[in-house]
Each structure stands twice: as C-alpha cells, then as structure tokens.
Amino acid sequence: MAVERIGVSLEGRLLSDFDRFVTTEGYGSRSEALRGLIREALTHRRWKAGGRVVGTITIVYRHEVGMVTHRLLHRQHEFLRFIRATAHTHLDDETCLEVLLVDGASDRIEQLGRRLKTVKGVLSSETVIASAKLR
Ligand code: NI
C-alpha cells in the first residue's frame, strides 16, 4: 500500500505533551504514535457507529456461585455467531478466567459483554475491541 506523507502543525505545549506520550508509551517515532492514535480513534468511532468489529471479552468469575457456569454458557449460546473461540483457565480453587474471541456487529458484541457481566458470580468482564474496518 502506498504511503503518503502529511504535515502536522502542533503548538509548543501540545507537541511537548505528545513527545512525552511517544516516549512513555514506547513508540519508535512520532509517526508511529500518530498512526496508533488514528487507528484507535477510527476503531472507537466504528465501534460507536455499529460496524463489524473483532476483539475479546475477558471474564473472571467464581465458579461455585449459583449456576454461574451454566448461565454463562447459556448466554454465550444466545450469541453463537459472534463467538469464534473461547479459552478457559482455572486461577485457583474457586476462580476462573475465560476469554472469548468475538467477531461481529459492534452493538451485538457490546450486548454480549453486558449479558456476561451481569451474571451473578462474575467478578469482572471487559470487552476490548482489537480492530474495526473489516469487510
Ligand atoms: Ni475454571
């Protein structure tokens, strides 16, 4: 893909803040940092606009609480088409970590994240959108 150069004008304060950001975040250059920020902003926009996104939903839960495992599975089955894979590991005697690889309409992914978060016994549930702008 062809790369085009663009010029960006920044006032002194914003530029020094940006340079500090480039360093603390560990970017190799200003350009790399800008690309990252632009991608992030566009992904966020797409996520809000309702397009197709891919990402993960990470949940931590206490498997002994009520019917939590059963409920989590039941709710995942309602979103069959949007879950590509899951991984599960046991953190200790009572706590489980599960990651869902998700792919689909952003509103449905968001809904799935909420449905899992509200199951009793779930300690945390976080949805992370890795990328948007997919066909
Ligand atoms: Ni487990």
Side-chain angles (χ1 to χ4, degrees):
M1 195 179 291
V3 175
E4 261 187 70
R5 292 178 68 88
I6 58 166
V8 178
S9 306
L10 297 176
E11 71 228 35
R13 179 63 195 268
L14 186 57
L15 181 59
S16 60
D17 284 353
F18 178 61
D19 281 338
R20 208 170 16 256
F21 171 82
V22 173
T23 307
T24 55
E25 295 294 308
Y27 284 108
S29 66
R30 287 172 170 168
S31 290
E32 209 177 292
L34 267 181
R35 282 191 290 272
L37 288 171
I38 291 169
R39 276 193 212 100
E40 208 174 284
L42 294 177
T43 297
H44 184 75
R45 197 155 177 255
R46 176 118 183 152
W47 164 245
K48 292 298 162 199
R52 180 186 166 201
V53 295
V54 294
T56 58
I57 298 174
T58 303
I59 52 179
V60 175
Y61 62 94
R62 294 195 184 276
H63 75 83
E64 285 173 344
V65 173
M67 306 258 287
V68 61
T69 309
H70 172 81
R71 291 205 169 94
L72 284 172
L73 281 178
H74 188 72
R75 291 189 182 189
Q76 287 182 41
H77 277 266
E78 291 170 10
F79 291 82
L80 201 56
R81 289 187 300 124
F82 304 97
I83 302 172
R84 290 232 179 163
T86 60
H88 181 113
T89 189
H90 318 295
L91 298 177
D92 58 33
D93 288 352
E94 50 188 32
T95 319
C96 300
L97 168 68
E98 201 162 299
V99 180
L100 284 63
L101 305 190
V102 293
D103 175 356
S106 66
D107 56 337
R108 295 288 283 152
I109 301 301
E110 199 168 18
Q111 191 183 16
L112 171 58
R114 282 199 311 272
R115 294 277 291 150
L116 298 177
K117 187 178 266 185
T118 53
V119 173
K120 192 179 175 196
V122 172
L123 301 174
S124 74
S125 165
E126 192 176 3
T127 304
V128 173
I129 297 308
S131 184
K133 205 182 176 190
L134 301 164
R135 284 175 218 292

